[in-house]
Amino acid sequence: MSGGPFPFGFSGGSGGESGGSGDGPGGGDPFGFGGGNIFAELERLLSWQGGPVNWNMARQVAEQSIGDADSAVSMGEQSAVREAGRLADHWLDEVTTLPGTGGEVTAWTRMEWVRETLPVWQTLADPIAGKVVDAMGSAVAGGLSNLPGMEGLESQLPPGLDLGQLAAGGGPFMGMLKQIGGLLFGMQVGSALAALAQEVVSPTDVGLPLGGPALLPRNIAAAGEGLEVPDDQLRLYLALRELAHQRLFAHVPWLRSHLLAAVETYARGITVDPEAISRAVTNIDPSMLDPTKLDPENLVEALGADVFQTENSPEQDAALARLETTLALIEGWVDEIVDAAARDRLPSAGALRETIRRRRATGGPAEQTFAALVGLELRPRRLRDAAALWRALLDERGMDGRDAVWSHPDLMPGSSDLDDPQAFATGSSTNNDLDPIAELQKLADRPDDAPRREQPDDEPGPDLDKG
């Protein structure tokens, strides 16, 4: 038997029997599983059937990574968060026509944030992960016969089955390869979510609707260090931002599908580097796949930073541009109405606004999370331009006219409108000369088969109207 590495990082020893001597961590077991067959062990690990990403593994990795960095929320913190939410809702009623959601703001631990937001991360990540996992399985299967040390794996195969048949793709072995990809991707996602859970201050802190209204007291305390802002003012300001996001996502039914459509368009063009995958799988020690012995840092190091990197197509770049514009419009609207609600009531409102603007515009925690996985950035780079546009709309059309722009995707500004917010607000823009109230009436009166106005940035409209 060759002493070279086996695929997926299983290193062989000098004996093929469980009682023989060997170099592997399992003594006589060449695969390091203490005498167990490689396929039997993998069957135990790869029992996930819920999609391309093993989300059970993602949750386990996230929870283990957080570990002692979490702490229970005290009764005092719960009470303070609820009171901040009630006051914030009252203030927001005065500055927007979008009504409150009626739910109380709750206080979450970091672990609760992971558990509560995981279903939405699954919806966002699965379209991308499916492409990556499929490519991982195909790349590994295609190069299977050329990997060193394959004679050791061949001795484990059932009679009549050779490596050529396995490398041909399809069948149970290809399914196993995809499950391995899902397991590894799940570990990557779990490690990223653990880092994110230690930074976010609320479910909408990343600009996406990840859960109901909540704040994370421990992370708020960490974010406030060095700001010289009283705790109650910081908590109230962040409650205003959280509830403004919640109102927007609750009362703009097309917005969530709009964001997901951009992510799915990006996912359709996903490609991976087969050579990077081959390098990664040969560096993985089998002990890394044992959920009881997970070490996320070692896993990430073994996988390498380039496994999930992609080279974007023009279609993907366009999808990312649309996503970036929408995130900027969301953040700009929240920034504007929170400032209107807080600037005459909170002495620290101006400083807090600038701090959060810099944090979001230069790349908040969501950008690092997605960029580390597949290069998908969630960065509202033009937040300031978007805020200026919403302010111009308020000045020209009043509160009703400003908020009416959210009523239909046909009325939304595009990226070019951010170059001249005043032109969009006054209707003199070549891109948009619509009065939102009048246009809504036209939309209501229009037959279902009537032609639609072209979307900003050439985005197709029908896919975005699904609530």
Side-chain angles (χ1 to χ4, degrees), residues 290-315:
D290 185 346
T292 66
K293 302 176 182 178
L294 287 176
D295 188 333
E297 291 184 4
N298 287 345
L299 175 69
V300 172
E301 182 179 352
L303 285 173
D306 58 344
V307 173
F308 301 118
Q309 284 184 351
T310 62
E311 184 173 338
N312 291 344
S313 67
E315 292 78 11

Side-chain angles (χ1 to χ4, degrees), residues 135-220:
M136 288 179 71
S138 299
V140 174
L144 194 60
S145 299
N146 299 322
L147 290 174
M150 286 307 299
E151 62 272 23
L153 178 58
E154 191 164 19
S155 68
Q156 295 280 322
L157 298 178
L161 185 64
D162 59 33
L163 292 174
Q165 292 172 293
L166 294 179
F173 192 74
M174 178 59 76
M176 187 186 74
L177 292 178
K178 290 182 179 180
Q179 285 182 305
I180 290 174
L183 185 76
L184 299 178
F185 201 90
M187 291 179 176
Q188 288 280 73
V189 172
S191 181
L193 290 182
L196 190 58
Q198 297 179 63
E199 296 181 11
V200 294
V201 297
S202 72
T204 61
D205 193 21
V206 298
L208 299 174
L210 298 179
L215 295 176
L216 281 71
R218 182 161 186 177
N219 290 357
I220 291 176

Side-chain angles (χ1 to χ4, degrees), residues 29 52 65 68 78 91 116-117 123 148 160 219-220 233 239 329 370 373 400 402 415 451 466:
D29 174 20
S65 299
D68 295 336
Q78 285 279 10
W91 288 3
E116 294 291 333
T117 65
T123 300
N219 290 357
I220 291 176
Q233 290 193 39
L329 291 170
F370 271 84
L373 293 174
D400 288 344
R402 178 200 63 190
S415 59
K466 299 175 183 178

Side-chain angles (χ1 to χ4, degrees), residues 54-261:
N54 189 322
W55 288 98
N56 283 342
M57 180 60 71
R59 179 181 51 78
Q60 291 178 25
V61 169
E63 291 179 353
Q64 180 172 319
S65 299
I66 293 172
D68 295 336
D70 205 14
S71 61
V73 175
S74 69
M75 294 295 292
E77 288 171 329
Q78 285 279 10
S79 178
V81 165
R82 282 196 301 270
E83 289 302 317
R86 292 189 187 111
L87 184 55
D89 243 344
H90 176 66
W91 288 3
L92 290 173
D93 285 339
E94 301 177 9
V95 294
T96 178
T97 61
L98 300 184
T101 62
E104 281 197 326
V105 182
T106 59
W108 283 355
T109 64
R110 292 166 173 173
M111 211 80 82
E112 285 175 321
W113 181 89
V114 169
R115 293 167 185 162
E116 294 291 333
T117 65
L118 204 61
V120 183
W121 288 117
Q122 182 171 351
T123 300
L124 290 167
D126 270 352
I128 296 173
K131 293 284 187 177
V132 175
V133 169
D134 284 348
M136 288 179 71
S138 299
V140 174
L144 194 60
S145 299
N146 299 322
L147 290 174
M150 286 307 299
E151 62 272 23
L153 178 58
E154 191 164 19
S155 68
Q156 295 280 322
L157 298 178
L161 185 64
D162 59 33
L163 292 174
Q165 292 172 293
L166 294 179
F173 192 74
M174 178 59 76
M176 187 186 74
L177 292 178
K178 290 182 179 180
Q179 285 182 305
I180 290 174
L183 185 76
L184 299 178
F185 201 90
M187 291 179 176
Q188 288 280 73
V189 172
S191 181
L193 290 182
L196 190 58
Q198 297 179 63
E199 296 181 11
V200 294
V201 297
S202 72
T204 61
D205 193 21
V206 298
L208 299 174
L210 298 179
L215 295 176
L216 281 71
R218 182 161 186 177
N219 290 357
I220 291 176
E225 293 179 359
L227 291 182
E228 299 182 354
V229 173
D231 293 344
D232 58 342
Q233 290 193 39
L234 176 60
R235 182 168 50 246
L236 182 52
Y237 194 87
L238 294 175
L240 283 164
R241 286 184 51 81
E242 170 66 7
L243 289 174
H245 278 103
Q246 294 287 343
R247 289 182 183 220
L248 191 60
F249 285 113
H251 299 292
V252 182
W254 57 265
L255 187 55
R256 184 176 186 273
S257 61
H258 179 105
L259 293 171
L260 293 180

Side-chain angles (χ1 to χ4, degrees), residues 261-277:
V263 173
E264 289 167 1
T265 299
Y266 177 85
R268 283 197 295 270
I270 216 61
T271 57
V272 296
D273 181 1
E275 293 183 3
I277 291 175

